[in-house]
Amino acid sequence: MLLEEGTDVTKLESKFPAFIDKIVGEEYAGRYAPHLQNISELLLFSNLYAEHGENLEVSYIYIFIAIGLLILIIACINFVNLATAQGLKRAKEVGVRKVMGAFKRQLVFQFLAEAFLIAFFAVLIGLVLVELALPWFNDLAEWSVTADYTSNPFYIISIVGFVILVGLFAGGYPAFILSSFKPVKVLKGENSGTNSKSILKTSLVVTQFTVAIFMIISTGSVNRQLDYLKNKDLGFNKNDVLVSGIPSGISKTDFDLVREELFRIPGVSEVSFSSNIPGYQSGSRRQYNPDGEFAENGLLVNSYSIDDNFITQFNLTLLEGRDFSSDLASDSLSSVLINEAAADKFGWEDPIGKTISYKSPEGETERYSVVGLVKDFNFETLQSRINPLLLFNDLDRLGQTSIRINSENLADVTEQISTTLKSLNNGIPMWYYFLEEGIASVYDTEEVIGEMLQYFTYLTIFIACLGLLGLVSFTVINRRKEIGIRKVLGATVFSIVQSISLQFLKLVFIGFIIGAPLAYFLITQWLNSFAYNAPPNATIFISSGLATLFIALLTIGYQAIKAALANPVDSLKSE
């Protein structure tokens, strides 16, 4: 509905009840609650029944924004740690400049300028990487995202603001610390006074590994849930089922003709027709009344229309009663199959023989007798519990064909089916897909999120290891004389490496203690959006902790071994 500019939406919506009364009558008006929704909200802010197309929850956008900010923060933390570690090598430069008359503000300005330049060039490199990565991202997410920085001045302002904020955040601490070095001490080779800040540095590294642990556990949990969604028993056989439409011009009296033509193809074992396909289609939804008693507010129930081969085709379990039969004309007029959830909703312990009724807006009452009880199966996605479902034999509502293939040469049989359907459709090719792929496509968004999380996790681990490497370098420089003295007194290389490594592995362990519960809490919140889920198990936590510990040990080991193998004469000669 295209509204005129300046239309009062609330005032327009207030006229809908009277309009509904006029169309369907007061008796049915209470069943409908129409409202207006901006078309721009459909993609990210809508989650209604029978949407017009696929949408994406805006929460996923917020998640990736949060992850991006976390990665940016730990990158800034790295800059702080690496800058201060390298600053020790520049201590004499600072001392000499101060002796020559440089003021502290001049040194602060120099170091901040260096940080701004690094941030500026990092942004330029980042923009280039965005352009290079966009085709890959669009292919992965099946989107068409473009980066047009000149279309909106806000983008330019944001980029400039980003450079300033990152430069201040990442460069401020090193600038003030390095400019505070005492020239007398640094020129004599004494400690520059940065040890007092070691608590802050270790805290920053703990923060990095907290994020890394969180990302690893989250990625493992998302992949576990995706595997669960793919492999869960849905209560019906979805394997090797080709789904297509019904050829144009085919009426309910011609279904047997279509079936016969398809059975001529070697490898086709079952053919059925239905209004909907189980696994991800909800079907139509109407209000029904149990026991044939009409009430103004009936029970809202989903329904499919199926032929008499549907139950067999999908290997559904008939718990009580019978299936539909083409020999009984009454089945298409007044019979219904229900699932266990529907029997529970109607309050029936023995549903066979019970009746349900539906009253159309035209005032006609339709009554159906329950002839069979079907075991519950997941006819909708796994994001919802099994809802009540009614299965009718209304041949006028059938619109899709399900073809089971029993052949090793799947591609050849599929090609023959396509050719046969084309000939039945007046020479026009018909769409088709495999049911397994159709069900899997429902979780494409989760697949993309899982894959993106993996890449973000690799990046987070890499950045965290850089930060750890910076702090190890900082510590080794500060302890070089201590290490030299210990070697002179007979300390082994192993004992020195162990001493340095344990100091930092404790930080990784603390990061695990903080990150693991945080990951469990947030992943549990995400899993709650699925009616069926696989909570993260102990294996994910243990493997994530061990993997992080191993990666950290490799990072620490290089600097620790290098320090332990250094000649003590080089570190003690100034004494």
Side-chain angles (χ1 to χ4, degrees):
M1 181 186 295
L2 180 62
L3 303 183
E4 294 181 358
E5 188 174 350
T7 299
D8 188 334
V9 175
T10 304
K11 185 177 180 180
L12 179 60
E13 286 182 330
S14 67
K15 298 179 180 179
F16 286 168
F19 176 75
I20 297 298
D21 287 350
K22 180 180 178 181
I23 299 299
V24 301
E26 296 181 2
E27 187 176 15
Y28 287 88
R31 298 184 182 184
Y32 305 96
H35 68 281
L36 296 176
Q37 184 179 31
N38 195 312
I39 194 171
S40 63
E41 298 177 354
L42 292 180
L43 179 62
L44 297 176
F45 301 96
S46 182
N47 188 21
L48 303 175
Y49 173 77
E51 290 279 9
H52 291 286
E54 294 183 8
N55 54 15
L56 175 68
E57 291 188 22
V58 70
S59 58
Y60 289 141
I61 304 296
Y62 295 148
I63 287 172
F64 282 118
I65 290 175
I67 290 174
L69 289 175
L70 285 174
I71 292 176
L72 176 61
I73 289 171
I74 63 175
C76 290
I77 290 173
N78 270 1
F79 186 87
V80 171
N81 280 341
L82 292 173
T84 50
Q86 291 297 317
L88 292 175
K89 297 179 181 180
R90 300 181 64 182
K92 289 187 178 180
E93 173 199 336
V94 173
V96 170
R97 293 194 61 189
K98 281 195 169 185
V99 168
M100 299 296 293
F103 294 103
K104 181 177 179 178
R105 63 175 180 273
Q106 293 175 316
L107 297 173
V108 169
F109 178 81
Q110 175 192 341
F111 291 125
L112 281 177
E114 292 175 1
F116 285 132
L117 280 175
I118 292 174
F120 174 74
F121 285 111
V123 166
L124 292 182
I125 295 172
L127 294 178
V128 172
L129 292 177
V130 166
E131 293 296 332
L132 294 176
L134 268 180
W136 165 81
F137 176 78
N138 286 331
D139 182 62
L140 172 66
E142 296 183 353
W143 291 352
S144 56
V145 178
T146 57
D148 186 2
Y149 307 107
T150 59
S151 62
N152 191 335
F154 176 76
Y155 295 147
I156 304 298
I157 296 173
S158 298
I159 291 172
V160 173
F162 175 83
V163 172
I164 295 173
L165 286 176
V166 172
L168 286 174
F169 178 71
Y173 174 74
F176 285 99
I177 292 300
L178 297 181
S179 62
S180 298
F181 286 170
K182 304 299 182 183
V184 176
K185 290 186 176 181
V186 296
L187 292 177
K188 289 176 60 179
E190 296 180 9
N191 192 297
S192 56
T194 54
N195 278 342
S196 61
K197 309 297 182 182
S198 60
I199 294 179
L200 176 60
K201 292 182 176 61
T202 55
S203 299
L204 295 178
V205 171
V206 168
T207 301
Q208 288 182 314
F209 276 93
T210 297
V211 174
I213 289 288
F214 169 79
M215 294 291 292
I216 294 173
I217 294 175
S218 298
T219 301
S221 300
V222 168
N223 289 334
R224 174 178 164 84
Q225 175 66 7
L226 290 175
D227 289 339
Y228 175 79
L229 294 175
K230 293 176 184 177
N231 300 313
K232 184 186 182 301
D233 181 12
L234 301 179
F236 64 90
N237 188 355
K238 63 181 180 179
N239 300 322
D240 301 327
V241 175
L242 189 75
V243 178
S244 184
I246 293 178
S248 176
I250 297 296
S251 65
K252 61 183 179 182
T253 58
D254 299 322
F255 288 152
D256 286 339
L257 170 64
V258 177
R259 187 177 283 110
E260 289 173 7
E261 290 296 321
L262 290 172
F263 275 138
R264 294 179 189 275
I265 302 172
V268 173
S269 60
E270 295 284 349
V271 178
S272 69
F273 304 96
S274 59
S275 61
N276 300 89
I277 303 300
Y280 65 107
Q281 295 184 4
S282 300
S284 59
R285 185 179 292 182
R286 297 195 300 189
Q287 289 180 322
Y288 293 90
N289 294 274
D291 301 319
E293 295 294 331
F294 177 74
E296 184 176 347
N297 295 315
L299 300 175
L300 199 61
V301 184
N302 297 78
S303 68
Y304 281 14
S305 286
I306 64 173
D307 66 1
D308 54 351
N309 293 303
F310 185 88
I311 300 296
T312 304
Q313 160 87 310
F314 289 102
N315 291 345
L316 299 179
T317 303
L318 198 62
L319 299 176
E320 297 180 35
R322 64 174 179 84
D323 194 0
F324 293 130
S325 173
S326 57
D327 297 329
L328 297 175
S330 60
D331 276 358
S332 63
L333 299 173
S334 58
S335 297
V336 65
L337 304 176
I338 68 173
N339 68 351
E340 295 173 284
D344 291 339
K345 186 165 187 174
F346 291 142
W348 295 334
E349 293 185 3
D350 184 14
I352 305 302
K354 295 293 195 329
T355 58
I356 61 172
S357 65
Y358 166 74
K359 193 169 184 180
S360 67
E362 292 78 19
E364 298 178 0
T365 299
E366 303 171 6
R367 287 187 171 82
Y368 301 89
S369 176
V370 178
V371 298
L373 176 65
V374 179
K375 185 177 180 180
D376 281 341
F377 63 97
N378 293 100
F379 65 95
E380 297 177 291
T381 70
L382 295 176
Q383 290 174 322
S384 60
R385 291 283 177 188
I386 298 176
N387 288 310
L389 179 67
L390 307 180
L391 300 171
F392 295 99
N393 190 223
D394 185 353
L395 303 184
D396 290 324
R397 291 174 55 198
L398 306 185
Q400 301 191 64
T401 308
S402 300
I403 307 163
R404 184 171 299 283
I405 301 174
N406 187 14
S407 173
E408 294 182 358
N409 194 354
L410 207 61
D412 184 55
V413 175
T414 301
E415 183 63 30
Q416 293 182 62
I417 292 173
S418 176
T419 302
T420 299
L421 291 174
K422 179 180 177 180
S423 66
L424 293 170
N425 197 43
N426 302 318
I428 302 173
M430 292 190 63
W431 56 267
Y432 61 86
Y433 63 90
F434 280 95
L435 180 55
E436 285 181 282
E437 296 174 355
I439 294 175
S441 68
V442 176
Y443 309 108
D444 282 348
T445 299
E446 285 73 17
E447 286 277 6
V448 171
I449 288 173
E451 191 163 348
M452 292 297 292
L453 273 177
Q454 285 186 9
Y455 293 117
F456 279 133
T457 299
Y458 299 149
L459 181 60
T460 302
I461 293 173
F462 175 73
I463 295 175
C465 288
L466 282 180
L468 184 62
L469 184 65
L471 188 57
V472 174
S473 301
F474 176 83
T475 302
V476 167
I477 292 173
N478 269 342
R479 295 179 61 184
R480 63 189 184 280
K481 291 182 179 178
E482 173 201 337
I483 294 171
I485 293 171
R486 292 182 64 185
K487 288 195 70 174
V488 169
L489 294 176
T492 63
V493 172
F494 176 78
S495 65
I496 293 173
V497 171
Q498 183 184 46
S499 172
I500 297 174
S501 299
L502 286 178
Q503 175 183 351
F504 295 102
L505 292 180
K506 290 177 183 177
L507 304 182
V508 178
F509 180 73
I510 294 172
F512 177 82
I513 294 299
I514 299 172
L518 181 63
Y520 180 82
F521 172 76
L522 294 179
I523 282 296
T524 301
Q525 298 301 309
W526 175 71
L527 289 174
N528 286 339
S529 65
F530 296 88
Y532 302 88
N533 55 58
N537 55 18
T539 303
I540 291 178
F541 288 90
I542 294 173
S543 59
S544 299
L546 291 177
T548 307
L549 201 65
F550 177 73
I551 295 171
L553 191 58
L554 288 180
T555 305
I556 298 167
Y558 168 74
Q559 286 288 355
I561 293 174
K562 181 181 176 182
L565 293 176
N567 190 339
V569 174
D570 295 333
S571 59
L572 297 176
K573 61 184 179 181
S574 62
E575 299 296 322

